[in-house]
Amino acid sequence: MNSKNFLLVTYFFLSGIMSAQYSPTKLVEDFKISTDNSPSTIIQNSPKLFCNGTKRFLTTWKDYREGEATTYAQWYDSLGKSVGNNLRILDDDDIAINMDGSFLSLNEWTGYYYPHMDDITYIDGKIYYPDGSSSFDFNIFQAGLSGCDVDCLGMDFKCISMKDGFNVIIRIDGAIVLNHYDINGNLIRKKSLPSNIFNRRSSKFDCDKDLNSNYILCWFNARNINWENLNDSIPIGIYAAIFDSNDSLNTTPVFIKEFKTNNNSEFNPWNTPPIKCASIANNRWQIFWLEGNPISLNYALINNDGNLIDSLKSISITPFSGERFIHNFTITPIKDNKFCIYISTELNLQGGWDMFNNYLLLFNSDGTFIHQNSDTKVLGPGGITSLFYPSNFFQINDSTLYTVISDEKDVFLKTVFNLSSYSNDIIKINDDTSGSNDQLPNIIPVKDDSFFISWNRETISSGITVNSKGNLIGNQVNLESSNCFILPNGNCYNFWLFSGISGCIPFTHKGYTLYDKDWDIMLKDTLVKFGTGSSQFPNILKLSIASMVMYYTDGNRLFMRLLNNIGEIIKESNFDIGYDQELKLFSVDDTSFFIKWGDKLQYFNRDLEQISQIYNLTFDSYLGNNKFLQITRPYYNWDRYGTILSVTGDTLVKSFKIVSDVIERYLDRFFNIYPLTNNDFLVLYIKNNQLFAKAFSNEGKEKSKEFIIHSNVQSFKKQPTVVVNGNKVFFVWSDARNEGSGYDIYGSIFDLSKIVEVEEQKRNDLPEEFALSQNYPNPFNPSTTISYQIAASLNPSQGGTLITLKVYDVLGKEVATLVNEEQNAGNYNYTFSIDKNKLPSGIYFYQLKAGSFVETKKFVVLK
């Protein structure tokens, strides 16, 4: 375990020990809702194949048998026979295989561990050895990627095996860095390529090595159009350079081809051609790139001295032009003195149909082109899977190619003789026996004593009724989605959505299937066909026992249907909300509701008529009584704060802390708000890999301490949701507690009165003395947090204490008043912004006064 993972696990562990947990009465302990089906439907997809010219090759894929996506691998010999069992590895963002069978696995991921920067990109590595052992995880690269780092030339990387270990080459916003590691993962050397050669402009690159661990690096030298000087003399185009095994340049860079634009001044980095390179026979190197429309494969040959051999050559690939996407562009290793280039493209046709073309070009080991095979398939919307075109790598042996494919449930090894001749034998690669992943639960009250739970089961959706004692009622039913609404008569609306591409234009089908109480289909209605815009599901808002509103969007219009309690349409209406706006509806009472789209809010009556002006209001949830909750998070920590607003945007309740230290993990970011009775609300969040809830009134007052909604079981948990029915609170979530079985749906039931019961705050819970803490961060830009505590009054009948918090410059001049009001005993945080107060860089002092208590501290502003 590397140091940052150790610290993160330690933090989670200590947080769990030090947090005293409030525990309201739980009526029903955790119970499993979903039941797995057989055979396995666990997702296994995104297969890849890696090799280095030896007799063995490695297949990898994404595997969900443990709940979250993990990466597994399987070795195969040259005859396509598996060697050993499935092996869990770090990842397959890139893999380099050494001649002795050891291999380096790379993992790119985004973390959220620094207080000043939300997105930190990491590249980690791990080496696996033939005896089944592995090295420690080691960090190769980390940087905050935002703004121009991503928007200009981006980042990518590749690893290659060397005689003494591995080389990892990283391209970051145009610059290229070499990292050389030994066989144990220790860094031998790190070097940045000279700017006079690369000029921080590479927008694509590739590399390959020969048997002596010399290697070639080829790149496309673009021009950074956002900030680069456009008048310099360095040509835009393809370059290559050869390095020895010590990462020293063997030759000066070779300029292979220039690319000119219409104004001969700039070249969009996103339009640079895909580029590949390969080591071939006689100490030669070959560079390939795709160019033009129709597409042609272009290539150049250079020797080990960096000299261009012969003229550039070109082979026509696609017979006609059009909007085309390149899925794969890959070179196999040399086998039997031959190697192949595989290219897979997709061409958009009219009417939502697409043409998929596979091209296989055979070359001699000296780089001479032999012949080309092609394969074409035309499929309708959504018809493409990896079964129709091979993955991104091949292995060649005695004129036989191996590729890996996926049907989403399993991954397979497939033998290919040429693109129009496939072996009938496909070999299942993954050896799991686990069940399905059940995720995205949805819960709906049915009667006073029962609920209907629906969820997504990878390729289908399912649902079942549960009573208030946690007992499953009836059989599990299959649905078209997990978005359901149960009518009072027991019939169920099941809303569905399908997205695809018609020609070059994305489209969405939206509709519903109506089931009777015995789950027989009564009606299937398409509400939107070939619609555009938001992919938001249709839904129903309940107004009263007698009426409800079905709503859905198509492009820039919102459509509504007023239904009675048996689903009959009473009235229909629609109006313009602007293109692709997020839509929410909130019930106000039995006859009216709010509609929120974007930052707009309007009041409607039961007849679907607008009965108020359009308000501009940014908020997250409606609390009842014309009060709206807005959630904020400071950039420097993971706390959540709430502010309660009126419909006109006036602040009714100032910022109050809702929850502390909600760490947003890249696996599952979750923080949500749900209404309770009497205009109270409940927040659900994930912290330390546990699911918590906490109740508040619509005055922003705590009505419960935070509590865990499940039993103390260590597992991945995510996607909690909740509903109130009578005096019961029913939680459901997705839980991977059954090892090797993926996720299942679990639930628990609580007594509502215990959750919203206000606990008397003991006097000794309040601070006993005044204190002013050092601000954090310090120095800072643009904001910092100042924390202080106010002692409990000796006389409980007295009001709050007059508090002033002010900022002074080094000359003692007051530059800002932060607080000047009476405040009750407790702990307080104030976020101070230099942008709001327009302070220049320098040293300042902040001072807290509370009665006779005075304390001053220093902070530093850096711009």
Side-chain angles (χ1 to χ4, degrees), residues 153 178 193 242 391 440 498 524 553 702 757 858:
L153 295 174
L178 307 177
L193 298 187
I242 300 169
S391 70
L440 293 172
F498 169 74
K524 190 169 184 177
T553 59
E702 280 189 12
E757 187 177 69
K858 178 177 68 175

Side-chain angles (χ1 to χ4, degrees), residues 51-71:
C51 52
N52 66 345
T54 64
K55 293 182 179 180
R56 297 204 310 174
F57 58 95
L58 187 72
T59 60
T60 65
W61 65 94
K62 292 293 182 286
D63 196 305
Y64 288 75
R65 71 182 74 175
E66 299 175 37
E68 294 296 337
T70 50
T71 304

